[in-house]
Each structure stands twice: as C-alpha cells, then as structure tokens.
Amino acid sequence: MVQINVSQLLKSPLGTTRKYQIAEKVNIGEETPHVQGEVTLLRTNRGILVTGKLETDVLVTCSRCLSEYRQSVVLEIEEEFFPTTDILTGKTISVPEDEPDGFVIDQNNILDLNEAIRQYALIVIPMKPLCRENCAGLCAACGMNLNVNKCNCPPVIDPQFEKIRSINIYQ
C-alpha cells in the first residue's frame, strides 16, 4: 500500500516539495502488481499536488487470440489531494466545491495513493491489447490459436462480401 504521512508537508510553506520513491504492490483490478517509480509532492494553497511517473506490469487478455500476457504500462500521475482536517486546529475541512470527487488526505494526514494509481493504471491499459504486433488470432471456424498451430479449415468469408470477390478490378 502506498501511503505517505504528509503532516509536516502540510505545515510547510507553499511551494515546498518532497520526493518519494515508490516500490509497492497496488491492487489494480483483480491483481496486485508491483508498482515502482518516483512521485513529487508539492504543497499548494489547497492541499498537495502529486506528480510522478510510475511503471508496472498488468495481466491483460489479447484481443485477437485471447491469450493472457503481461503488459508494461507507464503511469504519469498528476492529482491534487485535499486535506479533510486543518493541520493546526484539528477542525474538519470541506473538500473544495469545484473538486467534489477529488482525492483526500485523511484525518491522520495520510495521503493514500492506491486509488489514484489504480485509476491511472486502468486508463492506460490498451482497449484492444495485442500479445504481439502480428498476432494471428483464432481460426473463425475451429477456434485454434493460429499463433501456436495452423489449422486446415477453409477460409471463412462473410457472405456480405461474396459479390465483391467476383468483381475484377483489373479489367
């Protein structure tokens, strides 16, 4: 879990920064891969801006052959976290009205990056992942993984395109 105590940073002047190395397991979907990289925390007038570049591998399914494989992804994080408790008085603070769904720093001044990392990872996973650029996919007739074996099935042609095959474009 990626949790950082930011109580001292919240007491610091605006513009103060801290750098943190991240090397933790984070729950992303149905798995918990190792995430690593560096984040910078910057004290702002409203909270703490987190920026950084993290890397991880996620388990995905190829959109052509349906094989599972590990996909490397880079997460470029930029999120502002808002305190829920005033660091000096201990009074409860509201999240800014223009950020109702923003990330928050809990009452113990712990900034939890896990949800932000999970969301950024889900965004960068390709919509149609391919195990390799030239993935042959599955045979439409028998379902054979054509990357592993060739099958003897005749090519399947969509009946809608049958007339196009008969056109001779070289007349």
Side-chain angles (χ1 to χ4, degrees), residues 13-31:
L14 297 179
T16 303
T17 62
R18 301 273 192 283
K19 292 189 182 289
Y20 292 91
Q21 293 296 317
I22 306 294
E24 301 286 334
K25 289 190 175 267
V26 176
N27 185 1
I28 299 172
E30 297 179 7
E31 65 171 328

Side-chain angles (χ1 to χ4, degrees), residues 7-170:
S7 57
Q8 292 305 312
L9 186 56
L10 288 171
K11 293 177 186 176
S12 300
L14 297 179
T16 303
T17 62
R18 301 273 192 283
K19 292 189 182 289
Y20 292 91
Q21 293 296 317
I22 306 294
E24 301 286 334
K25 289 190 175 267
V26 176
N27 185 1
I28 299 172
E30 297 179 7
E31 65 171 328
T32 310
H34 187 77
V35 176
Q36 59 188 24
E38 182 178 83
V39 293
T40 301
L41 278 57
L42 169 70
R43 177 70 168 105
T44 67
N45 61 334
R46 302 188 323 167
I48 295 178
L49 178 66
V50 179
T51 57
K53 186 175 183 178
L54 303 173
E55 298 176 5
T56 189
D57 290 333
V58 292
L59 188 63
V60 293
T61 302
C62 178
S63 62
R64 289 186 190 160
C65 70
L66 305 180
S67 298
E68 286 188 334
Y69 71 99
R70 299 216 65 85
Q71 171 85 42
S72 294
V73 292
V74 175
L75 316 175
E76 304 247 354
I77 294 180
E78 183 174 330
E79 287 293 334
E80 190 168 17
F81 285 73
F82 304 102
T84 56
T85 306
D86 183 282
I87 192 73
L88 301 175
T89 65
K91 292 183 181 179
T92 301
I93 302 174
S94 301
V95 174
E97 288 181 18
D98 61 336
E99 297 286 346
D101 297 324
F103 292 104
V104 295
I105 301 166
D106 74 12
Q107 67 276 8
N108 297 317
N109 302 310
I110 302 296
L111 187 149
D112 188 339
L113 277 172
N114 291 294
E115 181 59 18
I117 292 170
R118 185 188 75 78
Q119 289 182 20
Y120 273 80
L122 292 175
I123 288 171
V124 299
I125 294 173
M127 289 180 69
K128 290 190 155 219
L130 293 176
C131 60
R132 60 187 115 177
E133 194 173 314
N134 61 346
C135 176
L138 300 175
C139 172
C142 70
M144 173 81 65
N145 183 339
L146 300 175
N147 296 310
V148 178
N149 290 318
K150 299 292 179 202
C151 65
N152 295 323
C153 297
V156 176
I157 304 213
D158 189 328
Q160 296 177 16
F161 297 109
E162 214 34 67
K163 288 191 178 201
I164 294 174
R165 289 186 62 205
S166 65
I167 298 173
N168 186 350
I169 61 171
Y170 299 106

